[in-house]
Every structure is written in structure tokens, then in C-alpha cells.
């Protein structure tokens, strides 16, 4: 359990999340993921990173139970900072990052996939931000990289999800494949990228990030301020308590989707 790194092909690193039962990451998990991504990108032999997950889904956000069990706001602040670190590690990775998304991609999962350079998704993948239902705010920055502005707003306000096929039609998902073939399809794209000149790929990644119309790090941190404001105003705890109550004895873990 945790974050693992492997080298499935020349020039490719596979970073995989495994936090049963639903990949709702605890605070330490976000930092562990950020560290693994930074280590992979810092290796001069690496030309592409694949971000994947084991288990039922790609990522269900932060572990709400950890936040609710804390006697103070340390876990909430830890989740906020941990998410920001992991999202930035994807975006700032010196080489392209391919996200291999299966099952649910919620909250924090949107932050990871939205900051990736390319997404390969399984047919059963769904993408969404259940933030308002969990007493949180954030990651609209990243959802806006996956769908058009007005659809992003509607999905955000309703907590509804979009399918991999819908995102493929919007151009944000590279391929939609059967779940059994997801890892292979993601590695195929990564291999095609890794066949390029490594030094040029790193320059290309820096150049493309440099022309982004939105500073995703600043934008996301701005959103997170409203999450903390909602908590200070007493608006969040009841929603988190209700979610934990619903999930107790079933999933065994909770998600905000993000911190």
C-alpha cells in the first residue's frame, strides 16, 4: 500500500497509487506521491512518466475520516498543502506525464489528471468534483482544463460527473479503452513520447507550461483559501460528518474529493 515506482520500458517511469479501498489519500499519501513524481522527473534517463492507480478507481480525493478525526485543523491544512504539492509535482514534472485513469476520478483525482499532459482513460472512468457535497471548494482550476467553461460550472455546482467518452469528445482524453487494456494503452503513448529526444522533450514541457493562459498553481491556491474560509465559517464540518456517517461500515474511507 502506498506509492510505488517502476520502470516498465526504456525512458518510462510508472508511478502508481495504492491506498485501499478507494484511493482516498491521507495527508502523507499526497506528499509521498509528490516525492515519487519529482524523483522520477529528476532522473535524466526518464523521458515520460505514467501516473496510474491500483484498485477500484484512480483517485477519490482526500481521506475525510482523517480530517474529521483530527482534534484541530492540522489535517485539513495538511490535505490542502499536500494536494497542492502533488498537483504541482504533476504539472512541474520536467517530462510529460500521462495519466491512466480508471473508475472514479474525483476531487483530488481531477487535480492530478487535469495537470497531466495527456490522459488515457478506461471506458468505465468518470470525472467530477463532489466538493460542495463534502463541504469543500477547489480544483475547478483543473476541471476547466478538461471541459469547456460552462460545463465545468454546471458540473461543479451539481456535483455531477462526466464520462471518459464525453471528455474524449471535448478533446481532453487521448484514448478511451477497455479497462483491461488501460495500462497497456497508457504505456504505448508513453513509449511513443519517450522515443523522442529527451533534452528536447524537457525543453518542450517547459515551453508549453510557459505559455499556459492560467497559472494553475496560483489559481488553485486561490480556490483553497475559500475551502478554509468555509471551514472557519462553520459551513464544512456538518457536510464532512454526514459523509463519514454514510460511509462508515461500507467503504471504510472518505473523499472530499480534495483538500
Amino acid at each position: 500500500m502506498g506509492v510505488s515506482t517502476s520502470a516498465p520500458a526504456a525512458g518510462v517511469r510508472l508511478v502508481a497509487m495504492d491506498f485501499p479501498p478507494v484511493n482516498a489519500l491521507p495527508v502523507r499519501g499526497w506528499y509521498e506521491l509528490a516525492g515519487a513524481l519529482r524523483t522520477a522527473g529528476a532522473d535524466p534517463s526518464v523521458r515520460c512518466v505514467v501516473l496510474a492507480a491500483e484498485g477500484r478507481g484512480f483517485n477519490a480525493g482526500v481521506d475525510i475520516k482523517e480530517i474529521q478525526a483530527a482534534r484541530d485543523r492540522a489535517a485539513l491544512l495538511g490535505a490542502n498543502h499536500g494536494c497542492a504539492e502533488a498537483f504541482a509535482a504533476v504539472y512541474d514534472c520536467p517530462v510529460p506525464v500521462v495519466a491512466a485513469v480508471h473508475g472514479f476520478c474525483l476531487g483530488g483525482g481531477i487535480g492530478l489528471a487535469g495537470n497531466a499532459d495527456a490522459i488515457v482513460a478506461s471506458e468505465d472512468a468518470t470525472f467530477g468534483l463532489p466538493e460542495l457535497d463534502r463541504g469543500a471548494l477547489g480544483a475547478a482550476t483543473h476541471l476547466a482544463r478538461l471541459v469547456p467553461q460552462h460545463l465545468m460550472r454546471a458540473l461543479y455546482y451539481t456535483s455531477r460527473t462526466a464520462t471518459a467518452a464525453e471528455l474524449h469528445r471535448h478533446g481532453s482524453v487521448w484514448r478511451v479503452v477497455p479497462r483491461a487494456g488501460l495500462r497497456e494503452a497508457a504505456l504505448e503513448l508513453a513509449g511513443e513520447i519517450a522515443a523522442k529526444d529527451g533534452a528536447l522533450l524537457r525543453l518542450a514541457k517547459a515551453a508549453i507550461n510557459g505559455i499556459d493562459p492560467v497559472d494553475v498553481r496560483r489559481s488553485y491556491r486561490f480556490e483553497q483559501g475559500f475551502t478554509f474560509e468555509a471551514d472557519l465559517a462553520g459551513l464544512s464540518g456538518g457536510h464532512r460528518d454526514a459523509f463519514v456517517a454514510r460511509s462508515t461500515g461500507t467503504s471504510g474511507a472518505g473523499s472530499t474529493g480534495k483538500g
Side-chain angles (χ1 to χ4, degrees), residues 53-255:
E54 306 294 343
R56 291 162 52 186
F58 178 72
N59 187 284
V62 309
D63 188 344
I64 286 184
K65 290 185 177 180
E66 180 182 43
I67 294 174
Q68 292 307 85
R71 294 176 178 269
D72 54 25
R73 291 189 171 90
L76 176 61
L77 288 171
N80 276 4
H81 287 287
C83 283
E85 286 291 314
F87 299 172
V90 175
Y91 187 79
D92 293 333
C93 185
V95 298
V97 176
V98 175
V101 178
H102 73 281
F104 42 79
C105 180
L106 303 172
I110 294 293
L112 297 171
N115 268 359
D117 294 276
I119 301 170
V120 178
S122 62
E123 294 168 336
D124 67 343
T126 56
F127 300 75
L129 293 176
E131 313 307 274
L132 294 184
D133 291 344
R134 308 292 188 260
L137 298 164
T141 293
H142 311 94
L143 185 58
R145 295 166 67 84
L146 301 177
V147 299
Q149 179 71 207
H150 284 84
L151 178 55
M152 177 275 287
R153 289 171 180 254
L155 291 173
Y156 196 98
Y157 297 146
T158 62
S159 298
R160 292 176 64 171
T161 59
T163 66
E166 289 171 322
L167 264 62
H168 183 262
R169 290 197 293 271
H170 290 298
S172 51
V173 166
W174 174 258
R175 285 182 65 191
V176 179
V177 299
R179 184 159 176 168
L182 176 62
R183 192 70 60 89
E184 180 183 357
L187 290 173
E188 180 183 341
L189 175 58
E192 185 176 347
I193 293 170
K196 304 297 182 183
D197 183 292
L200 286 175
L201 276 173
R202 289 170 182 265
L203 288 175
K205 177 68 180 278
I208 291 173
N209 278 7
I211 63 170
D212 247 337
V214 174
D215 182 336
V216 296
R217 290 157 296 191
R218 181 190 58 77
S219 179
Y220 176 58
R221 291 296 283 160
F222 176 82
E223 288 188 77
Q224 284 189 313
F226 289 93
T227 294
F228 197 63
E229 181 178 331
D231 194 70
L232 289 174
L235 300 174
S236 302
H239 292 285
R240 293 195 299 260
D241 285 339
F243 179 81
V244 170
R246 289 194 299 271
S247 63
T248 297
T250 55
S251 70
S255 160

